[in-house]
Amino acid sequence: MDKNLTLLTDFYELTMMNGYLQNGMADKVAVFDLFFRQGNESTFCIACGLEQAIDYIKNISFGKEEIEYLRSLGTFGEDFLSRLAGFKFKGDVRALPEGTVVFPNEPLMVIKGSVFEAQLLEAALLNIVNFQTLIATKAARVVRAARGRGVLEFGLRRAQAPDAAVYGARAAVIGGCVGTSNVLASMLFDTDPKGTHAHSWIMSFDDELSAFRAYAELYPTNCLLLIDTYDTLKSGLPNAITVFRELKEKGYKPVGVRLDSGDLAYLTKETRRVLDEAGFPEAKIFVSGDLDEYTIESLYIQGAKIDVYGVGTRLITSHSNPSLGGVYKIAEFDGRPKLKISDNAAKITNPGEKEIYRIYDGATKMAVADLICLKDEKIDFTAPLTLTHPTDRWKKLTLTDYFVRPLLVDVMKNGEDILERKSVTELRSRCNAGLNEFWSEYKRLDKPQIYKVDLSDELYNLKQELLAKGGKK
């Protein structure tokens, strides 16, 4: 993970930076928003990846190797290369803390600095934040479907390269997973790795019972046996119970059994019945095998008896929604608000440097809406607050008993890292607490209710003014 990511950028970032320099614009201040548009699956996301994003920004350094490579392309002059050699981001960054619930069009990060510096950050920040936010969001959905049962991240072998495996595991834990099988991720992010044995362990012995006994002898206090190598109910489960009885006679309690295939609804119900009748009601049933939130939801409806889910491929790849679609758009340049116009209304951006407030009902303490406004806008939150739909302005909601919380926090100031770092377990707690602030209607897997994210009147009017003038103020 220790590598120079300075050239982790799209080539056009460099050509634009050179253009800014050649046109005398390099030192003009710009504000960029990193946000996502309407998701394909969930109406919300879990902000994630900020720590790695800040580490990337503060460690940008064009060394001799990078400068020589760019010189060899024959595209850039020495004045540009010289400027790169002394590059250091000196601007400000505000962001949503990791684990925060975020909705479409709300900036996850706001970058303010010289356009020369801020432009370079686009591709790498999107790479870092898009992926981890995507996986944290998928994990939150899977964990919600599990309804309080533990979820373990098992995606290492199906992740798309080592970085995706490591940072995907990090994001999955922040999103709600209780642990990961990935040992490197566990070491880097201070969690305990989880796992038992594979089918190959059992198949390496002459018989299943011998394999179970050997494993129990090695790990008597952590004996979790995989029982579906040959025949779950006729072989694996009876042999596991034999070993569990032997452990019990020695004073140990077995952890449980794991199933990785077959009709998990039927098999887990039978396994639970047999374990209980054999005197092991505390033995847990772990399952794995191409699981996701939809499969887990189905297993719950069928009455499956499952204590812990191991979720791999469909979590680490966000199988049903493989990209977040986050974007990095300029919102202000040289003190003037900017707006991108499109025939597709969803792609019209919100101008200016912004703030986000989360609005809570005073009685229930539940979130009822978010308000995007201009950063320096003065809003009287002691008076009744009228929220207005960002496009259908006739839709209004007036609140009298409410309180608000600003969401964006300073994480870099004048190029200095001031991010308050948290452990992944602390970030997981923040994520869980944040999700509990929203009614279940907003979090259901199928056709969730759309949460209100409104524009202040001042921001809305500015947007309409810019639209009427073709995007220019």
Side-chain angles (χ1 to χ4, degrees):
M1 312 301 114
D2 184 17
K3 62 188 75 171
N4 187 344
L5 299 180
T6 300
L7 291 184
L8 184 66
T9 190
D10 291 317
F11 188 58
Y12 78 170
E13 313 290 7
L14 296 169
T15 60
M16 284 189 287
M17 291 166 67
N18 185 46
Y20 296 139
L21 182 64
Q22 302 311 318
N23 284 278
M25 303 161 60
D27 294 319
K28 292 187 180 297
V29 175
V31 176
F32 286 86
D33 292 340
L34 191 159
F35 62 96
F36 69 96
R37 300 189 178 103
Q38 185 61 51
N40 296 325
E41 192 169 49
S42 178
T43 60
F44 66 87
C45 284
I46 304 299
C48 198
L50 179 61
E51 183 175 325
Q52 285 68 47
I54 297 304
D55 287 344
Y56 155 74
I57 294 173
K58 72 180 185 181
N59 288 309
I60 293 174
S61 176
F62 288 87
K64 290 183 179 180
E65 184 178 0
E66 288 77 24
I67 295 296
E68 283 304 315
Y69 170 72
L70 294 176
R71 180 178 287 119
S72 73
L73 301 178
T75 303
F76 307 112
E78 290 302 315
D79 55 344
F80 177 66
L81 298 176
S82 177
R83 178 99 178 212
L84 291 183
F87 186 98
K88 183 184 186 303
F89 181 76
K90 304 181 187 69
D92 301 335
V93 180
R94 293 182 300 134
L96 296 180
E98 291 189 271
T100 300
V101 178
V102 56
F103 295 91
N105 301 311
E106 297 181 336
L108 285 83
M109 299 182 72
V110 177
I111 293 86
K112 185 176 185 178
S114 76
V115 70
F116 187 88
E117 297 171 2
Q119 188 69 67
L120 177 64
L121 309 184
E122 176 178 10
L125 290 185
L126 287 172
N127 174 271
I128 294 166
V129 174
N130 271 347
F131 175 69
Q132 287 202 48
T133 298
L134 180 74
I135 302 306
T137 305
K138 187 69 169 179
R141 289 170 58 80
V142 170
V143 168
R144 177 164 176 76
R147 290 175 168 82
R149 277 74 172 178
V151 176
L152 299 172
E153 187 278 317
F154 279 1
L156 171 58
R157 64 193 61 191
R158 301 290 171 78
Q160 289 144 334
D163 277 6
V166 170
Y167 292 117
R170 176 185 188 271
V173 173
I174 291 171
C177 290
V178 296
T180 174
S181 65
N182 188 321
V183 180
L184 177 57
S186 297
M187 181 186 75
L188 291 173
F189 308 122
D190 195 25
T191 66
D192 293 328
K194 306 296 183 182
T196 176
H197 60 79
H199 297 292
S200 56
W201 169 264
I202 295 167
M203 296 166 71
S204 298
F205 287 78
D206 290 338
D207 59 80
E208 188 176 50
L209 183 58
S210 297
F212 285 173
R213 280 175 168 154
Y215 194 84
E217 185 176 349
L218 282 169
Y219 309 108
T221 62
N222 191 31
C223 185
L224 175 64
L225 301 175
L226 180 62
I227 62 173
D228 68 337
T229 302
Y230 300 121
D231 188 304
T232 299
L233 298 179
K234 294 181 179 179
S235 174
L237 184 56
N239 285 329
I241 288 173
T242 296
V243 172
F244 289 171
R245 285 172 173 154
E246 293 169 356
L247 279 173
K248 189 175 182 179
E249 290 175 0
K250 297 175 183 178
Y252 297 107
K253 289 184 178 180
V255 173
V257 298
R258 179 165 76 93
L259 293 88
D260 190 52
S261 61
D263 184 341
L264 295 178
Y266 168 72
L267 290 174
T268 57
K269 284 185 280 189
E270 281 298 295
T271 297
R272 181 76 276 156
R273 180 184 64 79
V274 174
L275 285 172
D276 290 352
E277 289 176 355
F280 297 100
E282 296 179 358
K284 290 180 167 52
I285 299 175
F286 294 65
V287 300
S288 54
D290 286 331
L291 301 175
D292 61 13
E293 65 266 47
Y294 303 107
T295 309
I296 292 172
E297 179 84 0
S298 175
L299 288 169
Y300 171 81
I301 292 170
Q302 296 173 71
K305 301 297 183 181
I306 298 169
D307 299 292
V308 181
Y309 297 89
V311 186
T313 303
R314 292 172 181 264
L315 170 55
I316 202 65
T317 64
S318 189
H319 182 269
S320 54
N321 183 36
S323 67
L324 178 64
V327 294
Y328 186 89
K329 299 296 182 183
I330 195 165
E332 187 173 292
F333 181 76
D334 197 23
R336 293 172 294 170
K338 295 292 180 179
L339 173 143
K340 177 188 179 296
I341 296 178
S342 172
D343 289 336
N344 181 348
K347 290 193 173 185
I348 299 175
T349 59
N350 292 319
E353 188 174 359
K354 290 173 281 293
E355 183 57 87
I356 313 168
Y357 292 97
R358 184 146 292 161
I359 318 296
Y360 297 86
D361 177 72
T364 64
K365 308 298 188 290
M366 300 294 280
V368 294
D370 285 4
L371 180 66
I372 305 176
C373 59
L374 295 170
K375 184 175 185 293
D376 296 326
E377 187 175 345
K378 303 301 181 184
I379 300 177
D380 184 3
F381 288 122
T382 64
L385 179 67
T386 298
L387 301 171
T388 311
H389 192 278
T391 55
D392 301 335
R393 302 303 280 179
W394 54 272
K395 295 180 180 178
K396 295 179 182 292
L397 171 68
T398 298
L399 303 171
T400 55
D401 181 14
Y402 69 94
F403 61 95
V404 305
R405 179 168 65 92
L407 298 187
L408 293 167
V409 299
D410 292 325
V411 294
M412 291 194 86
K413 200 72 176 173
N414 299 319
E416 296 302 316
D417 175 5
I418 58 172
L419 172 66
E420 182 183 4
R421 282 164 168 74
K422 301 280 189 181
S423 70
V424 293
T425 52
E426 289 173 317
L427 295 174
R428 180 177 64 204
S429 296
R430 175 188 287 162
C431 175
N432 184 59
L435 285 167
N436 286 337
E437 295 176 345
F438 295 86
W439 298 108
S440 59
E441 290 85 348
Y442 300 119
K443 298 179 288 187
R444 62 187 177 223
L445 300 181
D446 186 41
K447 296 183 176 63
Q449 179 67 19
I450 303 300
Y451 180 75
K452 297 177 181 65
V453 178
D454 296 339
L455 303 183
S456 69
D457 287 342
E458 191 170 330
L459 176 54
Y460 175 81
N461 291 335
L462 174 62
K463 185 172 184 178
Q464 297 308 306
E465 177 186 347
L466 293 178
L467 282 170
K469 295 180 179 178
K472 301 175 183 178
K473 188 171 176 67

